[in-house]
Amino acid sequence: MSERPIAERSSAARLEGAVQRCLVPSCNSTYGLRERIYTCPRCSGPLEIQSELPARASAVSLRKQWEARAASLDPLDRSGVWRYRELLPFDPIAPVITLFEGNTPLFDAARSAQYCGLSHLRLKHLGCNPTGSFKDTGMTVAVTQAKLLGARTVVCASTGNTAASLAAYAARAALQSAIIVPRGQITTAKLAQSMDYGAAVLEIEGNFDAAMRLVQELTTDPSIYLANSINPFRIEGQKTVAFELLIQCGWRIPDHVVVPGGNLGNSSALAKGLDELLRFGLIEKLPKLHVVQAEGAAPLARLFAEMAGARGRESASSLPDRITPVEHPQTLATAIKIGAPVSWQKSLRGVFESGGQVLAVTEPEIADAKAIIGRDGIGCEPASATTLAGIRRLVASKIIHREESVVAVLTGHLLKDPEYVGNYHRDTLSLPASGERPNAAAQKIHGAFRNPPERVPASKEAIVESLHRKRQSNTQEMNIGSTKED
Ligand code: F0G
């Protein structure tokens, strides 16, 4: 069921002019879709897939077709990525590897809205993908491309989620997968997934950035295919989240879309998807795209702050050519513990083009925001909660206004990191001293919304008394959590 040819009439013609293009303006080299490259062979710049969009005249009918496919039983239609195949760079014979990714919910989140001072807030939960993170929407495309290119082994560096996703899709495609991860820095749940899906789990001494450098060296071997988001085919899959989101919004464009930033592939992909909708004529303006990083791993937020004054579309066409990496990134949101993000230029371009911001939030802010998302009955992993913490700041600084429509993109499932959750609620969460400050004391984080388990005598009275007490303290807490504007 997971592998079948795409049969679409118009795609072959559309793909004739499709290329992988270097984004460095002075280079601008182009390469064929079947070239197994990840950065520009001439100047090492980032690559992007460029293919002609279908004619604007077909936009409305195509939109209706995408919407209708959600109810179809065809495996390609059921995938929340391949449903949008007219905008993907594949010809009709591609052997698609799918786990029916995408199709993730958009929730109203009243408690979270109140917490950050908004009337309404919606959470797009990409953690509801088959392996529990947004990576699946890109991996279905990257592994399909690996299969097309005849790769034997697919490889990635990872903080855990890319690894779990790659391992699953490689298993579906009967390809070997190798995941290179920083030893001791991946959550048990994520590592468990990769082991179960049969990946070669290779732990290195060093952080994610070291693993990322290593996998790029490995790709000189032609049997190995790299599935990190530096690979422009990953971005093609992930951009479809923008299409699904707009359908779920009834094509009413949100004022703001807020995403976490680590290696910066996800924000790049959303920006590309939104830009394609704009050029295709399905939306008439871009939502402001904001990227939120953890303070201890925030190279893009730092660069953005340094560029204060450079804003808007003009800045998007003259991006700086380097970013200063954070040498010892440090955050308990391990998914985004990244100091040298590979897709920073694409991400920054997307932020500038949309008029958004890049900001950093602290560990206590992330921890409390995460607990609030949990109280909405939704939950997420720590990296995802940077969004709510970021929105709270953007509302406080009046960049986002109370009545505006805001979507926070949650990237990973709550169960990806149960250790963090337990430590938060039991008041044992702490950030160890970092490589930059090895002698400093660990930073203890005392959450404002802790909800530890309580031991009670095995009696009806004790249980009733405990529930009564908890009801009262919950009411008080609701008031503490609200912003002053409420
Ligand atoms: N949220 C989660 C849950 C993630 O796993 C990641 C990245 C991000 C946000 C950041 O997204 O890198 O596209 O900016 N995780 C990668 C991994 C690095 O290896 O799983 P990004």
Side-chain angles (χ1 to χ4, degrees):
M1 272 289 273
S2 64
E3 191 169 327
R4 51 151 289 173
I6 303 175
E8 290 300 315
R9 283 159 285 133
S10 59
S11 55
R14 187 175 56 80
L15 285 175
E16 251 166 45
V19 290
Q20 307 189 64
R21 181 182 295 280
C22 173
L23 289 182
V24 174
S26 57
C27 177
N28 207 24
S29 302
T30 58
Y31 306 91
L33 289 183
R34 291 293 183 95
E35 291 200 48
R36 199 182 49 85
I37 50 177
Y38 312 98
T39 53
C40 176
R42 290 202 186 97
C43 77
S44 307
L47 295 173
E48 185 168 78
I49 308 285
Q50 281 188 353
S51 50
E52 240 174 76
L53 293 173
R56 265 175 96 109
S58 65
V60 171
S61 64
L62 199 50
R63 191 187 85 187
K64 288 193 177 135
Q65 199 177 354
W66 290 343
E67 288 170 4
R69 281 176 183 161
S72 155
L73 294 179
D74 182 303
L76 281 185
D77 292 345
R78 282 171 60 199
S79 161
V81 170
W82 295 97
R83 183 175 301 151
Y84 308 100
R85 49 196 173 270
E86 289 78 6
L87 298 192
L88 294 175
F90 286 87
D91 67 26
I93 52 149
V96 169
I97 308 297
T98 176
L99 281 165
F100 308 125
E101 51 289 318
N103 300 306
T104 55
L106 180 67
F107 294 113
D108 280 324
R111 185 75 188 83
S112 300
Q114 186 195 20
Y115 178 69
C116 51
L118 289 173
S119 294
H120 288 101
L121 174 65
R122 283 171 295 175
L123 306 178
K124 172 74 176 150
H125 204 339
L126 306 183
C128 297
N129 268 294
T131 75
S133 86
F134 72 98
K135 307 289 180 177
D136 297 343
T137 56
M139 214 50 87
T140 180
V141 174
V143 172
T144 295
Q145 176 72 355
K147 206 64 184 164
L148 267 178
L149 295 179
R152 267 210 319 265
T153 305
V154 280
V155 64
C156 72
S158 183
T159 57
N161 281 330
T162 303
S165 182
L166 178 62
Y169 282 84
R172 300 294 295 169
L175 289 171
Q176 182 187 36
S177 64
I179 63 161
I180 318 291
V181 292
R183 193 178 70 79
Q185 296 181 41
I186 308 297
T187 70
T188 312
K190 294 176 188 177
L191 218 48
Q193 289 181 287
S194 290
M195 291 190 283
D196 222 37
Y197 299 138
V201 178
L202 306 174
E203 300 181 305
I204 62 156
E205 293 303 330
N207 60 20
F208 170 86
D209 301 307
M212 192 64 225
R213 282 192 295 272
L214 203 56
V215 290
Q216 284 175 271
E217 282 174 37
L218 280 174
T219 57
T220 48
D221 179 333
S223 68
I224 292 183
Y225 189 68
L226 178 60
N228 280 102
S229 58
I230 194 171
N231 179 332
F233 285 88
R234 268 273 308 276
I235 301 298
E236 290 303 290
Q238 287 177 211
K239 79 182 179 188
T240 63
V241 170
F243 311 158
E244 183 172 282
L245 174 63
L246 264 293
I247 289 177
Q248 289 170 319
C249 293
W251 295 96
R252 277 186 297 279
I253 307 157
D255 296 308
H256 304 270
V257 175
V258 186
V259 280
N263 215 14
L264 299 169
N266 195 27
S267 42
S268 305
L270 273 168
K272 187 168 195 277
L274 291 166
D275 178 65
E276 288 184 5
L277 291 180
L278 183 71
R279 288 190 293 118
F280 194 25
L282 282 177
I283 56 176
E284 63 282 0
K285 64 165 192 157
L286 294 173
K288 289 194 168 73
L289 183 67
H290 307 286
V291 178
V292 192
Q293 299 196 294
E295 198 177 55
L300 193 70
R302 196 157 68 186
L303 177 64
F304 187 83
E306 284 164 9
M307 292 175 72
R311 297 283 186 271
R313 284 202 154 257
E314 319 78 63
S315 335
S317 54
S318 59
L319 294 174
D321 50 20
R322 75 175 289 282
I323 189 168
T324 310
V326 172
E327 208 170 321
H328 299 289
Q330 189 72 326
T331 170
L332 289 171
T334 52
I336 51 172
K337 192 173 165 186
I338 294 173
V342 296
S343 296
W344 67 272
Q345 280 156 312
K346 293 182 194 173
S347 174
L348 191 57
R349 185 186 58 177
V351 167
F352 280 144
E353 280 181 344
S354 72
Q357 303 272 319
V358 187
L359 63 158
V361 291
T362 65
E363 295 296 313
E365 285 179 295
I366 296 171
D368 281 340
K370 196 187 110 51
I372 292 289
I373 294 168
R375 292 293 178 93
D376 261 320
I378 294 170
C380 62
E381 68 167 288
S384 307
T386 56
T387 53
L388 188 66
I391 292 168
R392 197 171 200 243
R393 281 198 180 204
L394 292 170
V395 172
S397 57
K398 307 225 178 315
I399 289 167
I400 295 181
H401 301 285
R402 187 180 171 80
E403 299 303 329
E404 286 187 306
S405 59
V406 184
V407 174
V409 178
L410 304 182
T411 44
H413 198 280
L414 168 74
L415 295 176
K416 285 283 193 172
D417 193 352
E419 293 98 336
Y420 183 105
V421 184
N423 282 329
Y424 177 89
H425 290 291
R426 293 176 197 272
D427 205 17
T428 49
L429 195 61
S430 77
L431 182 70
S434 78
E436 267 156 17
R437 303 176 301 114
N439 301 322
Q443 181 193 351
K444 287 206 179 321
I445 294 156
H446 301 293
F449 309 106
R450 296 194 302 273
N451 180 32
E454 180 191 349
R455 266 195 193 188
V456 288
S459 79
K460 179 183 162 193
E461 292 72 28
I463 290 171
V464 169
E465 191 275 324
S466 165
L467 292 180
H468 179 69
R469 213 173 348 97
K470 282 181 192 295
R471 255 198 310 275
Q472 281 180 332
S473 73
N474 259 347
T475 316
Q476 280 167 9
E477 205 178 73
M478 289 292 277
N479 299 331
I480 301 170
S482 314
T483 60
K484 289 193 193 78
E485 284 183 41
D486 288 314

